[in-house]
Amino acid sequence: MKKIFPAILLILLVLSGFVAKESLRTVPNDSFGKGELLKYKVHYGPINAAEAVIDISPNLHRINDRLTYKATVYGKTNSSFDIFVKVRDTWQSYIDTAAILPHRSFRNIEEGSYRKRETVDFNHFTNTAQVEMKKKNRDKKQSTHKIPHGAQDIVSGFYYLRTLDYDRFKVGDKFTIKGFFDEETFDMVVTYQGRETVSTKAGSFRAIKLVPKMPKNKLFRGEDAITVYLSDDKNKVPVMIAAEMFVGSVKVDLYEHKNLRHKPALVAQK
């Protein structure tokens, strides 16, 4: 009996491990896929200050024995704006194709003289995140953090927004996205504010209007400082982001897209 019990216990532990590996949620996604490319102009007031590119690799990647999309955001200031502050930022997220959750995220921040490199490995079975970070002229720092169930990083959170069914919302309805960023957990409360038509350099779109509640900070003017517009079609592409900052108004404007999953529903010009 003394020999049988440890064997049974071992079998139960192994079986529970198999169950855990299959316990991630499944989120229906018909909005985005491999190879999608989005390009944006970033306007600071009347000035065309920067450009951003968001792409999904044409190949799937395996992280934590799960298939993932490799989504990358590149941001850089234009040469004429570099004299004020030169920005060359890269944000990356490996997003589970079924659960739409991040398994690994990466940031390489170059803003003026500031430098930061960070890698975060998410474990959604133990609800932990391991962070490896290095700032300019400093040694690497490693730390482990508890994260909420279903935690998103910043990049994966935007892709998750594209999977939601906004037809079930009424104007003023709120929902919460759990997240982990900069070694801290957060609750991002998002308010659905209906539909409206927005004009971008890629055309005019009927758009879903979302306002995420911002915590107090030194960048944005008030908790409703950011408005996100998603195309009101099957793609739900972010077509415009408007932000009120203490230093002025910023608008991120879609000007080019490739390899969308569906034909975009543009509004005909009168």
Side-chain angles (χ1 to χ4, degrees), residues 86-90 108-112 114-116:
K86 185 176 180 179
V87 174
R88 300 292 186 270
D89 289 354
T90 301
N108 184 30
I109 306 300
E110 298 181 12
E111 298 177 358
Y114 180 78
R115 298 290 185 272
K116 180 177 181 178

Side-chain angles (χ1 to χ4, degrees), residues 1-20:
M1 186 68 179
K2 289 182 179 179
K3 293 182 179 180
I4 295 175
F5 183 74
I8 294 174
L9 181 60
L10 181 61
I11 291 170
L12 290 174
L13 287 172
V14 171
L15 289 175
S16 66
F18 281 119
V19 172

Side-chain angles (χ1 to χ4, degrees), residues 108-132:
N108 184 30
I109 306 300
E110 298 181 12
E111 298 177 358
S113 61
Y114 180 78
R115 298 290 185 272
K116 180 177 181 178
R117 292 176 64 90
E118 178 191 73
T119 301
V120 181
D121 282 297
F122 292 84
N123 188 328
H124 295 287
F125 304 114
T126 61
N127 289 328
T128 56
Q130 291 185 323
V131 180
E132 181 178 283

Side-chain angles (χ1 to χ4, degrees), residues 236-251:
K236 300 189 186 78
V237 170
V239 293
M240 183 184 293
I241 301 172
E244 292 298 325
M245 307 178 74
F246 285 108
V247 294
S249 298
V250 173
K251 185 175 75 169

Side-chain angles (χ1 to χ4, degrees), residues 27 44 54 62 92 147 168 222 260:
V27 174
Y44 175 64
I54 306 176
R62 190 171 289 276
Q92 207 165 68
I147 59 173
R168 62 189 178 89
L260 297 183

Side-chain angles (χ1 to χ4, degrees), residues 222-234:
E223 61 183 24
D224 295 334
I226 296 180
T227 304
V228 178
Y229 296 91
L230 305 179
S231 62
D232 188 14
D233 53 26
K234 290 183 178 181

